[in-house]
Amino acid sequence: MTKSAHERFNFNCLDDVRAKAAALGLDMELDEDVSPLAAPVAVGGRTAPNALAILPMEGCDSLPDGAPSELVERRYLKLGAGGAGLLWWEACSVVPEGRANDLQMMLTKGNVGSFAALLGRVNAAATVANGSGHRPVSILQLTHSGRYSRPYGHAPQPIYVQRDPILDPRSGVGDGVDAVSDAYLDDLIGAYVESALLAREAGFDGIDVKACHRYLISELLAGHARGGKYGGSFENRTRFLHDAISAIKAAAGDGFIVACRFNVFDAHPFPYGFGCAKDDMWAFEPDEPIRLVKMLKNLGVGLMSNSAGNPYYIYPQVLRPFDKSSMGVPIPDEHPLASMARLFSFTKLVADAAQGVPVVGNGYSWLREYAPNAGAANVRRQACAFVGFGRMSFAYPDAPRDIVAGKALDKDKCCVACSKCTQIMRDHGRTGCVMRDAGVYLPLYRSYRAKASRREKATQKNA
């Protein structure tokens, strides 16, 4: 971790940001000209109308069978109309037991028509709002939540890769819970293939095999202490991801994009973390992440997005710098700009290793109205092909349209990095922007916070 005092956002102009980055010794550039973000980007035989992407932000608000609910439709119609060139749809579980919550999105033979209908409406909304030539590239993220599986109510039902003394107590892994078997993982590849084919049937341009944020495949990448064919060596730890992508490519054909969003740095101690030095969890070790990127490229992955860290643990700034933390999360000894610069450096490393495969950058939302300036600089430097918005998309879904139109982002619509959207997830609720979409999400935030508090008190009483 870069030792520097944490500060809330307090910039009045672009030069203020530049001055702070320079004072911190960060390699961060900000361009006045953000027009490069309006340029189209080729993606796996498709063309995204601009270099702005919506990152997969889970709402935890699908119907019980995994189909889109009214809230899901409301969110994606706004995102489609919002003007982004790439819509990276949220985490969609490939099996019921791998859902992170009982309202997680899940695509099945029974509800594929609902997804197809929504995708059609999203594309129509995009065209109406942004012009006849505008159709975003849509990628559906396929996932298995692994040790963070909680498919029924509030009880964790972890499916984990290896024992982890730090994460086990926090994720419900006890002595009576066995690690996931090689046989289960073998069979799981078929579930990824089936979900990918259903996504193609629904009309998605491609899928993402999710391998980030300590969910199942991400934990497999860090399975140094696991035995068997899916643990130990780099070849074994990447075997599931390799074989799942290969099987999807073979089944879906070359015209269907296979993407991957993956961690390059877990900020977690060896032998439980990926991309971390053996003697210092905060020291990034690039060798294996670079090998992973090259493996993905050789497999024909047509779109990549790197991330880092674990949103369920106490260092969420590694993947999303914040002003205010979620409850129970300490304020880090690191300035948010330093957290951003780390993420930007990871994306540049991935883009260099990917050699022409478009890479989506992340970590921009904390910069609010100055995020496009940082993104334009990174695109100019070929440090990424797309600038991705995560929390900003909850708060300001039409930010891409304003950027493409040459407008300054509206300060009163930007994400304020308050972590309330994260807190709703931690409280097992349906999430969105509590500040900018208060009519819907402020009552939900208060309700879920109260319910979580009652559960916490009951647990303490029974302990």
Side-chain angles (χ1 to χ4, degrees), residues 154 427 445-456:
H154 304 295
D427 290 341
Y445 172 80
R446 289 171 173 167
S447 174
Y448 291 121
R449 183 83 289 273
K451 291 176 182 178
S453 180
R454 289 195 292 269
R455 289 196 301 272
E456 291 162 5

Side-chain angles (χ1 to χ4, degrees), residues 164-446:
D164 183 320
I166 295 174
L167 298 182
D168 284 357
R170 304 174 67 93
S171 54
V173 175
D175 291 338
V177 183
D178 293 331
V180 63
S181 69
D182 285 358
Y184 178 92
L185 295 173
D186 290 343
D187 291 341
L188 187 62
I189 290 174
Y192 274 87
V193 173
E194 181 178 1
S195 293
L197 293 178
L198 288 171
R200 186 183 64 175
E201 180 182 340
F204 287 95
D205 298 298
I207 56 88
D208 157 32
V209 182
K210 184 178 185 179
C212 58
H213 303 162
R214 300 299 295 190
Y215 296 110
L216 183 68
I217 301 179
S218 176
E219 190 172 25
L220 280 169
L221 296 179
H224 302 278
R226 179 184 172 88
K229 69 178 184 179
Y230 291 112
S233 68
F234 175 83
E235 289 76 14
N236 284 357
R237 287 182 282 116
T238 59
R239 185 187 305 277
F240 183 90
L241 182 58
H242 177 285
D243 290 356
I245 290 172
S246 297
I248 292 169
K249 292 285 291 182
D254 292 337
F256 190 67
I257 300 168
V258 176
C260 190
R261 181 159 161 79
F262 52 91
N263 263 23
V264 295
F265 177 65
D266 285 350
H268 203 61
F270 186 86
Y272 313 109
F274 181 70
C276 307
K278 291 183 178 181
D279 58 349
D280 181 2
M281 63 175 272
W282 287 105
F284 175 54
E285 174 49 64
D287 290 353
E288 287 198 344
I290 291 174
R291 288 180 67 186
L292 176 64
V293 172
K294 292 181 177 179
M295 181 194 85
L296 295 173
K297 177 180 170 62
N298 289 337
L299 287 171
V301 167
L303 179 67
M304 300 185 195
S305 176
N306 62 280
S307 192
N310 180 348
Y312 293 94
Y313 193 43
I314 60 173
Y315 307 120
Q317 77 278 4
V318 176
L319 67 146
R320 49 175 75 117
F322 54 77
D323 269 12
K324 295 180 65 178
S325 62
S326 302
M327 295 179 182
V329 173
I331 298 296
D333 294 327
E334 179 173 85
H335 196 282
L337 283 178
S339 304
M340 291 181 64
R342 181 194 296 116
L343 287 166
F344 293 172
S345 70
F346 291 158
T347 307
K348 179 66 163 63
L349 182 83
V350 170
D352 288 344
Q355 298 180 349
V357 176
V359 176
V360 183
N362 65 332
Y364 291 92
S365 292
W366 184 82
L367 259 186
R368 295 163 172 79
E369 64 266 30
Y370 306 116
N373 306 98
N378 285 336
V379 169
R380 172 180 54 78
R381 300 167 69 189
Q382 298 184 330
C384 63
F386 287 96
V387 173
F389 288 144
R391 293 166 296 168
M392 183 76 87
S393 69
F394 275 167
Y396 194 168
D398 50 341
R401 189 169 70 235
D402 285 351
I403 294 168
V404 170
K407 299 178 181 178
L409 290 187
D410 186 340
K411 297 178 183 180
D412 294 330
K413 295 173 71 175
C414 287
C415 170
V416 295
C418 67
S419 296
K420 284 184 169 61
C421 59
T422 301
Q423 188 62 50
I424 298 180
M425 289 189 69
R426 288 172 176 256
D427 290 341
H428 306 173
R430 295 169 291 173
T431 192
C433 185
V434 175
M435 305 300 289
R436 306 306 191 193
D437 201 358
V440 172
Y441 291 102
L442 180 56
L444 290 174
Y445 172 80
R446 289 171 173 167

